[in-house]
Amino acid sequence: MLVLLLVAAGRYSSKSGAEILDWKPKQSYEEQIELEMTDVDEMLKARNERRRRRGQAEVSEEDFRAEVEANERAQRERAERYRRERESSAQGGSSGSHRSP
């Protein structure tokens, strides 16, 4: 009976669960985006500083983002290839046709 009473109170309450618990996120979405942008800027500055010390050309933000996207794409492709290999070895595992990586 107590459980039903609590469920009914929660269902028909005008307050959200966060309001009832007085829960507030530590940072707003805007603050998180701003921090991420600051992080990218700081990483790019540090990377360019190291490149300058080695006598290499600096990297623009567009180049940096393109490199990150290429790395993420390569990682997804490796993960997909690994999944396919695992599935094919699981299907062919009983026939003894196991390939080593």
Side-chain angles (χ1 to χ4, degrees):
M1 187 67 139
L2 179 63
V3 171
L4 291 175
L5 182 63
L6 289 174
V7 169
R11 183 173 181 99
Y12 297 110
S13 173
S14 63
K15 292 184 176 183
S16 70
E19 289 173 329
I20 292 171
L21 296 174
D22 193 30
W23 178 82
K24 294 175 183 69
K26 292 180 181 179
Q27 297 173 340
S28 69
Y29 292 116
E30 292 82 14
E31 289 173 328
Q32 288 177 348
I33 290 170
E34 186 177 324
L35 283 174
E36 287 180 16
M37 294 301 294
T38 303
D39 288 347
V40 169
D41 290 340
E42 289 175 1
M43 286 187 287
L44 189 57
K45 286 178 185 176
R47 184 176 187 187
N48 281 331
E49 177 62 31
R50 286 191 307 273
R51 290 179 68 88
R52 276 192 298 274
R53 279 189 256 149
R54 290 187 299 217
Q56 296 175 321
E58 292 188 7
V59 176
S60 70
E61 184 174 346
E62 292 79 25
D63 295 337
F64 181 68
R65 289 185 184 277
E67 183 180 334
V68 168
E69 288 175 17
N71 288 337
E72 288 177 347
R73 189 172 35 256
Q75 184 176 5
R76 283 191 302 270
E77 289 169 359
R78 283 192 307 271
E80 183 59 33
R81 187 171 56 244
Y82 175 77
R83 280 189 213 103
R84 284 194 307 266
E85 289 175 0
R86 294 280 294 178
E87 288 174 1
S88 67
S89 67
Q91 292 171 354
S94 61
S95 65
S97 62
H98 178 60
R99 285 182 13 193
S100 60

